[in-house]
Amino acid sequence: MSTLHTVNKSPYEKNSVGSCLAHANSGSSILFYEDAVYATIKGASIEQLVTGTEGVKLYALGADLKARGITDDKLIDGIEIVDYAGFVDLAAEHERVQAWV
Amino acid sequence: MSEDIKRFMYINRRAPHGTIYAWESLEVVLIGAAFDQDVSLAFFDDGVYQLLKSQDTSGIETKNFSPTYSALGDYDVTKLYVEQESLEERGLTLDDLMDLKWEDEDDDWAEKDSIRLVSRAELKEVLEQQDIVFSF
């Protein structure tokens, strides 16, 4: 029933983030990693798209945020940061993983 | 300086760590700097992310090439055009970018800003003035 969606492309370069958000059901989770972490910066043109998903939990991979200089103060409220072990836990906790490449 | 100096423009439109484009661009800029040309760099679309402060790639185990941007001034690469609209769309301002400087030898080595914040309209004009354009 519950799906972990993983996205790794910049929201401005491809529509993977947009399509993922549009197809994520209530109760599912989305993990932003690699260039998709740029979707988590607040005040951006896509912020409402990112926060507009009802009942979808949002995660971002900490190492990818750090690499890109996205400090905690820049993050949209409610996005939870996970490390690589947390990524594995999320994959294990959900019934399936759907990658948005 | 010979009279056949050409205006070289390097266009940077990609985010820095997910693909190799940004780093490759930087490598080519540094190599090209040996040829005494009139060099400019433009950062727009996802390219503005290349100049963000506080990048630390230790967690993803790749080379952090972002400190290299601050060395560009030493290679007479002093014109970094950054598009205002691209920053705004991404929730960023000039304060989020590295403070890049160069020293002007014709002005008693005064420290000057390398980043030139320009509007999309202004950038279009700058791009029109170039002789050679490299795209990354």
Side-chain angles (χ1 to χ4, degrees):
Chain A
M1 198 182 101
S2 85
T3 302
L4 173 66
H5 298 273
T6 62
V7 212
N8 70 340
K9 297 294 187 290
S10 161
Y12 305 97
E13 179 90 27
K14 285 188 80 176
N15 191 37
S16 302
V17 167
S19 192
C20 171
L21 287 160
H23 291 91
N25 263 322
S26 180
S28 64
S29 302
I30 299 175
L31 172 66
F32 300 105
Y33 73 110
E34 294 176 359
D35 281 347
V37 298
Y38 289 121
T40 66
I41 298 177
K42 68 181 166 196
S45 59
I46 60 153
E47 179 173 351
Q48 286 196 325
L49 186 71
V50 176
T51 57
T53 47
E54 288 280 320
V56 177
K57 189 84 188 72
L58 303 177
Y59 300 89
L61 194 65
D64 285 323
L65 291 168
K66 203 171 141 195
R68 288 160 181 78
I70 306 170
T71 44
D72 291 358
D73 56 301
K74 284 195 180 62
L75 279 189
I76 291 171
D77 291 340
I79 290 183
E80 192 176 320
I81 301 174
V82 294
D83 58 12
Y84 288 108
F87 190 157
V88 175
D89 290 340
L90 284 173
E93 286 162 13
H94 290 76
E95 284 168 277
R96 70 191 72 78
V97 177
Q98 184 173 342
W100 297 77
V101 292
Chain B
M1 292 267 174
S2 64
E3 58 197 35
D4 49 19
I5 282 186
K6 289 201 174 350
R7 284 170 296 233
F8 278 49
M9 167 59 81
Y10 296 87
I11 291 182
N12 299 283
R13 295 183 46 252
R14 303 284 193 126
H17 304 293
T19 64
I20 198 70
Y21 289 91
W23 190 3
E24 288 287 303
S25 172
L26 200 49
E27 299 266 19
V28 175
V29 168
L30 289 170
I31 294 164
F35 295 95
D36 260 356
Q37 303 293 331
D38 178 5
V39 176
S40 297
L41 275 58
F43 296 86
F44 58 105
D45 296 340
D46 277 357
V48 298
Y49 291 133
Q50 295 177 26
L51 301 178
L52 275 179
K53 279 177 189 164
S54 320
Q55 296 179 54
D56 173 2
T57 59
S58 56
I60 60 170
E61 294 177 30
T62 62
K63 182 182 163 70
N64 186 6
F65 54 89
S66 73
T68 311
Y69 293 99
S70 56
L72 289 174
D74 299 335
Y75 294 87
D76 289 328
V77 177
T78 61
K79 292 180 284 190
L80 276 61
Y81 295 93
V82 175
E83 189 187 84
Q84 173 81 38
E85 286 89 339
S86 293
L87 285 175
E88 280 171 12
E89 282 162 13
R90 288 162 182 76
L92 303 172
T93 68
L94 191 57
D95 288 340
D96 294 313
L97 306 185
M98 292 182 275
D99 188 18
L100 303 176
K101 304 280 191 191
W102 65 287
E103 290 177 347
D104 189 351
E105 61 178 311
D106 299 325
D107 188 10
D108 197 23
W109 302 99
E111 252 195 2
K112 299 185 175 176
D113 290 323
S114 297
I115 291 181
R116 302 176 181 203
L117 192 62
V118 290
S119 68
R120 190 161 285 160
E122 288 168 328
L123 185 59
K124 281 198 287 191
E125 296 304 316
V126 173
L127 294 174
E128 283 274 288
Q129 293 157 8
Q130 306 302 319
D131 296 311
I132 295 165
V133 178
F134 294 95
S135 298
F136 293 89

